[in-house]
Amino acid sequence: MKLMNRKILLLIFTIMFFLCLPVLAKEKLTQQKIDNIKAILELSNYKETVRVTWENMFQQIIKVQQAAKPELNNPTYEKVLMDVGRMLVEEMVDENSSYMTSVIHTYHRHFTANEIRQMLEWQASPVGRKSAHVTPMIIQELTELGELYWQSNQEGLAERLEKRFREELQ
């Protein structure tokens, strides 16, 4: 009986230990880690990458809306929407924005301080700097490639969608 009680206690302790382990292992977000994350973002050309990504997204929104409503097919509409989009992006990448605070916390959740330091070292290397320089261009090119692929496959896509809807509705 005594041995059984010890085993039960050991089992309870082990379960509690593993349940509490994530809380015990969670790393504090130190100012050094915040500074290193900000340095990574700066070295990685983060602001330009965000700008290119969001500009591409706004251009796609414009195309979709203009296809749905031809009356929106005018330069003023495009200019206003793109200007508002750029303004939002500038607010997002501002160092003191709530968005940037969320970005820092996202990095913190997924990377330890040591991993952040390693990433910072890589970003400061010649290949890291090249990666930061070309990433916005790669995103732009891949967006254009995706658009061309989409356009060249629209007929087949429409047929596949119809077939899938028929299957789903049966």
Side-chain angles (χ1 to χ4, degrees), residues 23-160:
V23 174
L24 296 173
K26 185 167 176 146
E27 187 177 82
K28 288 182 90 175
L29 181 58
T30 64
Q31 188 59 48
Q32 181 64 54
K33 190 173 182 183
I34 291 170
D35 293 343
N36 286 347
I37 292 169
K38 287 180 178 180
I40 287 169
L41 295 174
E42 189 67 34
L43 285 170
S44 69
N45 204 10
Y46 173 77
K47 289 180 181 182
E48 184 61 21
T49 301
V50 169
R51 282 186 192 103
V52 168
T53 302
W54 281 85
E55 187 165 310
N56 287 335
M57 187 183 76
F58 278 109
Q59 288 172 348
Q60 293 304 314
I61 290 170
I62 289 169
K63 286 179 184 178
V64 168
Q65 289 180 337
Q66 289 175 336
K69 295 183 175 187
E71 66 271 15
L72 298 177
N73 200 358
N74 67 66
T76 303
Y77 174 76
E78 290 179 36
K79 181 186 181 323
V80 168
L81 191 59
M82 291 305 292
D83 287 348
V84 169
R86 287 185 190 102
M87 182 183 67
L88 290 172
V89 168
E90 288 305 315
E91 290 173 11
M92 287 172 63
V93 298
D94 181 88
E95 187 175 313
N96 300 312
S97 72
S98 61
Y99 181 80
M100 286 302 291
T101 300
S102 297
V103 169
I104 289 168
H105 284 277
T106 300
Y107 272 78
H108 170 62
R109 274 194 313 278
H110 294 283
F111 297 102
T112 66
N114 186 46
E115 291 167 334
I116 294 289
R117 279 191 294 278
Q118 290 174 29
M119 290 169 60
L120 186 55
E121 289 171 10
W122 182 81
Q123 286 292 347
S125 74
V127 71
R129 287 193 304 272
K130 180 178 181 179
S131 174
H133 178 71
V134 301
T135 294
M137 291 180 273
I138 290 171
I139 288 172
Q140 180 66 41
E141 290 176 32
L142 293 177
T143 300
E144 291 167 7
L145 284 172
E147 193 173 315
L148 289 172
Y149 181 80
W150 176 264
Q151 288 171 355
S152 67
N153 286 288
Q154 276 186 333
E155 240 178 73
L157 179 61
E159 291 168 8
R160 290 178 8 208

